[in-house]
């Protein structure tokens, strides 16, 4: 496909538009990371390498947070790795959705983050899933690294990044992705419980860990709910907790490269 054709395709894609808006909102937050990183004692070069190779906002902030607090490199890497666990979970779903191969598999793994994963899984059309994922992932990667360099250069002049409101940009972007997915009472209740757990944990655990505690709480709720409501029970369908997508339903089979609805064994 030509560059012009690709541009026209992305211009008319709702997922690409969502991915681009998320990329801008999140990428600008890289200024905050760059400024905080040099303020924590890392050099300009170290800051750039951290964004290029680690590229996971929560893990990056956890790393420099430990360093700024006087922690060792091992402690910083441990905190960063702890938060990076979620990316591995995202990776399994993205691999099932997009089926990347060759160099695209490595590239997809590197840009599999909260925003790119949420943008992709929020779509029902396979092509839109791909467009949303790549636009969000690559867009954030490029802007994040550019703005990291900017923040590292003007860090001293910028002052406290919080006074510019940049600390809330990533949160607002992710909330914008999450909000439309809360379609019923049960997921809304789970979201409220996780929010309360996060607020309570903030005062007792290191930065970055509260979100993992909230994820554990959601997992526990899901575990106890598992099997509690039969699939045929009234109210089970459309209770808001069904998956938005079935990644393997229309996956290419060994004998065909593409599959379309209505051709997979007679299912609608």
């Amino acid at each position: 496909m030509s560059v012009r054709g690709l541009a026209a395709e992305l211009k008319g894609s709702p997922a690409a538009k969502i991915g681009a808006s998320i990329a801008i909102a999140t990428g600008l937050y890289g200024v905050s990371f760059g400024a905080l990183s040099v303020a924590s004692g890392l050099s300009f070069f170290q800051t750039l390498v951290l964004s290029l190779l680690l590229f996971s906002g929560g893990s990056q902030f956890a790393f420099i947070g430990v360093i700024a607090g006087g922690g060792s490199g091992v402690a910083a890497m441990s905190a960063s790795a702890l938060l990076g666990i979620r990316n591995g979970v995202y990776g399994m779903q993205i691999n099932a959705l997009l089926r990347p191969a060759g160099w695209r598999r490595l590239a997809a793994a590197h840009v599999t983050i909260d925003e790119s994963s949420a943008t992709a899984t929020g779509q029902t059309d396979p092509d839109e899933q791909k467009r949303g994922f790549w636009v969000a992932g690559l867009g954030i990667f490029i802007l994040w690294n550019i703005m990291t360099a900017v923040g590292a250069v003007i860090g001293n002049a910028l002052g406290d990044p919080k006074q510019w409101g940049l600390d809330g940009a990533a949160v607002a972007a992710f909330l914008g992705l999450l909000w439309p997915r809360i379609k019923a009472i049960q997921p809304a209740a789970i979201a409220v419980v996780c929010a309360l757990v996060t607020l309570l944990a903030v005062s007792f655990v290191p930065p970055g860990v509260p979100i993992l505690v909230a994820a554990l709480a959601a997992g526990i709720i899901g575990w106890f709910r598992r099997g509690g409501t039969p699939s045929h029970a009234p109210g089970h369908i459309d209770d808001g907790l069904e998956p938005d997508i079935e990644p393997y339903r229309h996956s290419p089979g060994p004998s065909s490269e593409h599959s379309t609805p209505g051709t997979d064994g007679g299912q609608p």
Side-chain angles (χ1 to χ4, degrees):
M1 179 182 294
S2 65
V3 175
R4 181 177 298 180
L6 178 60
E9 182 180 284
L10 293 179
K11 185 177 180 180
S13 167
K17 293 177 182 178
I18 294 173
S21 63
I22 293 299
I24 294 172
T26 306
L28 292 177
Y29 190 38
V31 169
S32 180
F33 172 75
L36 291 174
S37 181
V38 295
S40 301
L42 273 68
S43 68
F44 175 79
F45 179 74
Q46 289 172 327
T47 298
L48 294 188
V49 170
L50 195 60
S51 271
L52 282 169
L53 300 183
L54 182 55
F55 186 55
S56 178
S59 296
Q60 290 179 231
F61 280 107
F63 185 92
I64 64 173
V66 173
I67 295 297
S72 65
V74 173
M77 288 188 291
S78 299
S80 179
L82 181 63
L83 285 176
I85 292 175
R86 72 190 193 283
N87 290 40
V89 177
Y90 297 155
M92 290 186 287
Q93 186 174 23
I94 293 301
N95 184 60
L97 283 177
L98 307 186
R99 299 286 188 172
W103 64 269
R104 289 184 179 84
R105 189 180 184 90
L106 295 176
H110 197 57
V111 297
T112 296
I113 55 176
D114 298 305
E115 293 81 5
S116 61
S117 300
T119 304
T121 57
Q123 314 305 315
T124 56
D125 179 74
D127 290 333
E128 284 293 276
Q129 290 167 0
K130 294 178 181 178
R131 295 185 190 113
F133 173 82
W134 287 112
V135 170
L138 293 177
I140 293 172
F141 179 79
I142 294 171
L143 285 175
W144 180 269
N145 281 281
I146 291 174
M147 299 312 293
T148 291
V150 172
V153 170
I154 67 172
N156 293 331
L158 184 65
D160 184 3
K162 292 182 180 180
Q163 71 182 358
W164 298 90
L166 293 176
D167 57 315
V171 177
F174 195 73
L175 182 60
L177 288 170
L178 175 65
W179 188 259
R181 300 165 69 87
I182 303 178
K183 304 173 182 177
I185 294 178
Q186 290 191 52
I190 294 174
V192 170
V193 170
C194 291
L196 292 175
V197 169
T198 302
L199 290 174
L200 292 174
V202 165
S203 301
F204 301 100
V205 297
V209 176
I211 186 63
L212 294 179
V213 176
L216 177 62
I220 293 175
I221 294 174
W223 175 264
F224 281 104
R225 183 182 180 276
R226 182 176 62 92
T229 306
S231 59
H232 61 275
H236 176 74
I237 304 302
D238 295 328
D239 65 359
L241 294 178
E242 296 82 9
D244 293 331
I245 50 177
E246 298 177 44
Y248 291 102
R249 182 176 180 181
H250 302 307
S251 298
S255 60
S256 64
E257 185 175 353
H258 299 285
S259 177
T260 56
T263 61
D264 52 350
Q267 295 183 4

